[in-house]
Amino acid sequence: MIRVLFAAGDSRWDDWKSPLRTAFAEAGLDCDLAQHHEPSQVDIIVYAPNVPLQDFRPYTNARAVLNIWAGVEGIVGNETLTQPLARMVDPGLTEGMVEYVCGHVLRHHLGIDTQITGQDGVWKPQVPPLARDRAVTILGLGELGGACATALVQLGFPVTGWSRSQKDIAGIRCLSGDDGLTKALKTAQILVCLLPLTPDTTDILGSAAFGHLPAGAVLINPGRGGLIVERDLMAALETGHIAHATLDTFRTEPLPQDHPFWSHPGVTVTPHIASETRPATAAPVIAENVRRAMADEPILHLVDREKGY
Ligand code: NDP
């Protein structure tokens, strides 16, 4: 019997328990999934940040902590965590992010707002350029950024991507390093940020980075709020250097009611819904990692604690 502790929040238990039990059974795993187990007897911890479990020391036999989110900034620095940590990579999460990013890129590319808010009886055709003439840059070419980059190329956009290590992805201009970042920003008519939040990426998008963008660029940030220096973004919006920012993630969530982002005409706030981990698609990934951990095989999507993602 494998004792799996569900420590991903009481509010998620009802949605997750049945898909997880089904996935364990389909993987041939004899699991006792519960919200409470004697800590020393727990084999696997299914986890989400911002829950009561913050001290991992009593879980002396746990073989892995499986985060249900892609982002691990809320747990990776926990010094009591000595067990291997996996982040979430699952098909539904990737599909959701591709849909969000493509949808918001196309909104700005096609100028859809003009049609939605501008029905004033005046016939004034404004034809957008083709996608091939609208350069998109994606910061972060990982599971999500890479999939979004590929989808945008398929729609016809010239796509530049930037990552820590140099990549070679068909159809994408891949850059890395500080010079690469500057080059990537300089061509970014639409900038999509899908970096993880780490000490290296915190505040990466501030006045210096914004200064490299072409005038009138659009920013789309489903990455993390801490990647952006908010006052610098507000300043760039005020001058029009950044024409619009579509923001899904914020330094403080929920975004406080009196935050200026809510009322700024150049900002679209979406409430951290770019892509949600869906139990139906994520549970089989968790089951596979439970199987691996119990079989002493390398677990999938292991977090590099040094890099922070
Ligand atoms: P990955 O770890 O697969 O990819 C991260 C990418 O960022 C990699 O290409 C990595 O480079 C690059 N990167 C990391 N640090 C640096 C750096 N210092 N300089 C340059 N490039 C860097 O993550 P995912 O694609 O799965 O997820 C990305 C983020 O998306 C998550 O961390 C999370 O914050 C956010 N997210 C948001 C959601 C939402 O609903 N808003 C939902 C899910 C995720 P390399 O390839 O060389 O390692």
Side-chain angles (χ1 to χ4, degrees):
M1 173 75 74
I2 304 166
R3 288 183 186 80
V4 180
L5 178 70
F6 186 83
D10 290 346
S11 61
R12 297 191 180 93
W13 175 240
D14 283 346
D15 288 342
W16 280 83
K17 63 185 177 194
S18 171
L20 279 174
R21 285 180 176 143
T22 301
F24 294 152
E26 287 176 352
L29 299 167
D30 182 15
C31 292
D32 177 7
L33 174 73
Q35 286 188 285
H36 304 283
H37 281 301
E38 167 57 34
S40 64
Q41 296 189 350
V42 168
D43 296 297
I44 302 286
I45 301 174
V46 175
Y47 192 75
N50 308 322
V51 297
L53 172 49
Q54 296 295 327
D55 184 357
F56 292 89
R57 286 171 299 184
Y59 298 87
T60 45
N61 286 315
R63 294 179 178 226
V65 174
L66 308 177
N67 201 52
I68 66 167
W69 293 359
V72 292
E73 72 280 358
I75 178 176
V76 71
N78 187 321
E79 289 180 359
T80 67
L81 179 68
T82 52
Q83 299 85 349
L85 171 65
R87 66 197 190 83
M88 180 52 67
V89 174
D90 99 85
L93 191 60
T94 304
E95 285 166 38
M97 189 59 79
V98 167
E99 292 173 18
Y100 178 93
V101 167
C102 289
H104 285 276
V105 165
L106 285 170
R107 167 194 171 193
H108 294 295
H109 166 63
L110 295 173
I112 289 174
D113 290 19
T114 312
Q115 271 71 51
I116 293 173
T117 61
Q119 293 211 40
D120 52 5
V122 182
W123 188 266
K124 40 178 191 293
Q126 288 174 327
V127 180
L130 290 172
R132 67 172 70 175
D133 296 318
R134 181 89 68 183
V136 179
T137 286
I138 303 194
L139 303 183
L141 280 177
E143 292 292 336
L144 302 178
C148 292
T150 300
L152 290 166
V153 165
Q154 283 164 359
L155 288 170
F157 293 97
V159 176
T160 296
W162 182 72
S163 53
R164 179 197 285 263
S165 57
Q166 182 61 38
K167 306 268 187 254
D168 182 8
I169 308 174
I172 296 163
R173 177 179 170 239
C174 294
L175 301 171
S176 59
D178 290 347
D179 285 356
L181 177 59
T182 304
K183 283 184 193 154
L185 293 169
K186 282 193 165 166
T187 58
Q189 289 173 278
I190 298 178
L191 178 66
V192 179
C193 193
L194 273 167
L195 291 165
L197 186 64
T198 71
D200 288 341
T201 61
T202 299
D203 293 338
I204 195 167
L205 293 178
S207 55
F210 295 145
H212 293 305
L213 293 173
V218 165
L219 169 67
I220 299 171
N221 182 30
R224 282 292 182 263
L227 301 167
I228 291 178
V229 182
E230 291 187 352
R231 65 177 177 281
D232 293 357
L233 175 57
M234 289 299 278
L237 286 163
E238 288 307 320
T239 63
H241 186 66
I242 291 181
H244 198 97
T246 293
L247 308 173
D248 185 58
T249 51
F250 304 90
R251 284 179 182 258
T252 305
E253 293 183 5
L255 185 66
Q257 270 188 334
D258 59 352
H259 196 288
F261 283 159
W262 281 114
S263 56
H264 197 291
V267 177
T268 298
V269 171
T270 60
H272 204 141
I273 46 76
S275 193
E276 179 66 17
T277 305
R278 289 156 169 94
T281 55
V285 179
I286 291 173
E288 171 58 10
N289 258 345
V290 172
R291 188 196 69 71
R292 284 171 174 256
M294 299 312 292
D296 278 333
E297 293 176 21
I299 61 173
L300 300 171
H301 320 306
L302 193 65
V303 171
D304 182 327
R305 307 288 284 276
E306 286 294 307
K307 289 185 189 163
Y309 67 97

